[in-house]
Each structure stands twice: as C-alpha cells, then as structure tokens.
Amino acid sequence: MADDEKVDRLDVSDDTAHQISVDPWYQVGFVLTTGVNSAYVLGYSGSIMVPLGWIGGTCGLILAAAISMYANALLGRLHEIGGKRHIRYRDLAGHIYGRKMYALTWALQYINLFMINTGFIILAGQALKAIYVLFRDDGLLKLPYCIALSGFVCALFAFGIPYLSALRIWLGFSTVFSLIYIVIAFVLSLRDGITAPAKDYSIPGSESTRVFTTIGAVANLVFAYNTGMLPEIQVSHCSST
C-alpha cells in the first residue's frame, strides 16, 4: 500500500538557483509577456517592415508567430524527459545531444542574453539622456554617463533579483510601463499617419542593399516571438509531480 501511495518525483537539473514550482500562473504569464513583448517591439517597424514592405513584413510576422508557437510548444513538451526536469536550454541540449552541445548551448545562450541586456542598457541610457535634455539642454550630462548610470542601476537590480521568482511586484511595474509606452507610441504613430501627407512606402535602397537588409529583417523575425529563457520560465510554475 505504501508503494502504491508513493508519488514519484522527477529529478531536477543540478547547480541552479531557480525556484521550482513556486510561482502562480499569472506571474509566469507576466514574465512571458515582458520577456517577448519588450520595448524592442517598437523597433520592428524599421527593422522588419521597412526592409520587407507591407506585404512581406506582415506575412513574415504571421509566419514567424506560427513557427515560434509550434517550436516553443515542442520545447515545452520536452520539459520532462528521461525521468528528469530540464529547466535550462543547455540541460535539455546536453541530455539529447551530449556534453559538447551542452557547452555550445551554454555559450550561445549567454552571448544572446549579454547582447540583449547590453541593448537594453544602451536604450535606457538614451532615454535618460532624452529626459535630461527636456529639462536642461546644457550638455553637461553626456550620453556615456547616462549609459554607465543605467548599467549601474541594472547591475544593482540583478544582484537584488537573483532568480525569476524573486521578480514579484517588479513584473507588475514592468508590464504597466511597457503597455503605457507601447500605447503612447501607437497613438502618436496613428495620429502622424492620419495627419501627415501621403508617403512612399516602397522598399528603399539599391538591389544590393536590399539583399542585406532583407537578410537582417529575416534574422529579426526569428527572434521576434521568442525568449532565451523559456525552460527557466516554465519550470517556475509547472508541477513536479
């Protein structure tokens, strides 16, 4: 009887600070929302729609959304495999392909996260500089100083929030600010589009330039609906029984 009542629990990957199965579903939803739909989405008009045009850009975004949803669904189903919960990309890659792929995935994931966070810090520095110019355009606060200040604040936040489950209330602030930012930008763009004179929306540049910009736009489509921490986000909510 005791054996029948025993609940088998899956092993968890070693050497991790992530909290397992402690977050409610809505907190995980906030993490996914802010992780995929960040301030970068406002740049897709210039990095995707301009190089590909209205038809190519729209079709590309729809196709990228469908492929990303399918790929992430497959990845989610591989969360528990081989009697173990793989809570990071590198754990899953190592289990399926071996130690070399574990190391390669680890390196690529951290390069990806480094580039993303570097972009956020530069963007935050530019925003801080723009706010300063609104009140005092004396040139005393240089852009590098703003970027350094943003990086310092980001580092403090990273030390204070060592794992995803510790975000808590910060997810609410992030979601609200992101929504406000996106709504304001959308309304202003809509107003300018209605009041401004007709524009030429044909794809700019020479044929050789269009080749390179198209390649860059397709690369942006690959990352448009994905996040580099899906297994980590999934494990914070999924039950281990």
Side-chain angles (χ1 to χ4, degrees):
M1 293 294 294
D3 293 336
D4 295 335
E5 295 176 355
K6 184 187 296 183
V7 177
D8 293 329
R9 301 179 67 86
L10 295 173
D11 293 331
V12 179
S13 304
D14 300 326
D15 302 327
T16 179
H18 289 291
Q19 302 297 298
I20 311 299
S21 304
V22 298
D23 298 338
W25 65 268
Y26 54 83
Q27 179 170 334
V28 179
F30 280 134
V31 175
L32 283 172
T33 301
T34 56
V36 177
N37 296 302
S38 62
Y40 282 133
V41 299
L42 297 177
Y44 292 153
S45 57
S47 61
I48 294 178
M49 298 300 293
V50 171
L52 298 180
W54 277 105
I55 297 177
T58 303
C59 294
L61 287 171
I62 295 175
L63 182 62
I67 295 175
S68 297
M69 183 175 66
Y70 176 70
N72 287 326
L74 291 180
L75 182 62
R77 293 180 180 181
L78 292 175
H79 176 67
E80 297 178 356
I81 186 173
K84 191 173 185 179
R85 303 182 72 189
H86 302 280
I87 66 174
R88 297 166 298 198
Y89 274 112
R90 60 182 182 270
D91 298 326
L92 185 57
H95 177 80
I96 298 176
Y97 297 107
R99 189 68 184 177
K100 291 183 178 180
M101 187 56 67
Y102 173 94
L104 178 61
T105 305
W106 179 90
L108 292 176
Q109 185 176 21
Y110 271 90
I111 290 173
N112 180 39
L113 294 175
F114 174 78
M115 295 177 65
I116 291 175
N117 285 286
T118 300
F120 274 125
I121 292 173
I122 294 175
L123 184 62
Q126 292 174 337
L128 184 61
K129 173 66 174 180
I131 294 174
Y132 178 81
V133 170
L134 289 176
F135 296 96
R136 293 185 60 183
D137 192 8
D138 52 14
L140 294 179
L141 186 61
K142 306 295 184 181
L143 180 58
Y145 301 156
C146 296
I147 295 176
L149 181 60
S150 300
F152 177 74
V153 173
C154 182
L156 289 180
F157 186 81
F159 284 119
I161 310 295
Y163 47 85
L164 289 176
S165 298
L167 286 170
R168 302 295 180 183
I169 190 62
W170 294 107
L171 287 173
F173 286 114
S174 177
T175 303
V176 170
F177 289 144
S178 297
L179 287 175
I180 292 174
Y181 183 46
I182 293 173
V183 169
I184 291 176
F186 177 79
V187 171
L188 293 178
S189 299
L190 183 62
R191 186 196 65 179
D192 292 342
I194 294 175
T195 59
K199 297 181 180 179
D200 182 12
Y201 289 102
S202 60
I203 301 175
S206 61
E207 292 186 3
S208 59
T209 303
R210 291 180 184 179
V211 171
F212 288 102
T213 55
T214 300
I215 294 174
V218 172
N220 288 322
L221 284 173
V222 174
F223 294 99
Y225 299 102
N226 293 287
T227 174
M229 299 183 66
L230 182 63
E232 291 89 335
I233 296 173
Q234 184 179 14
V235 76
S236 62
H237 172 66
C238 290
S239 173
S240 59
T241 58

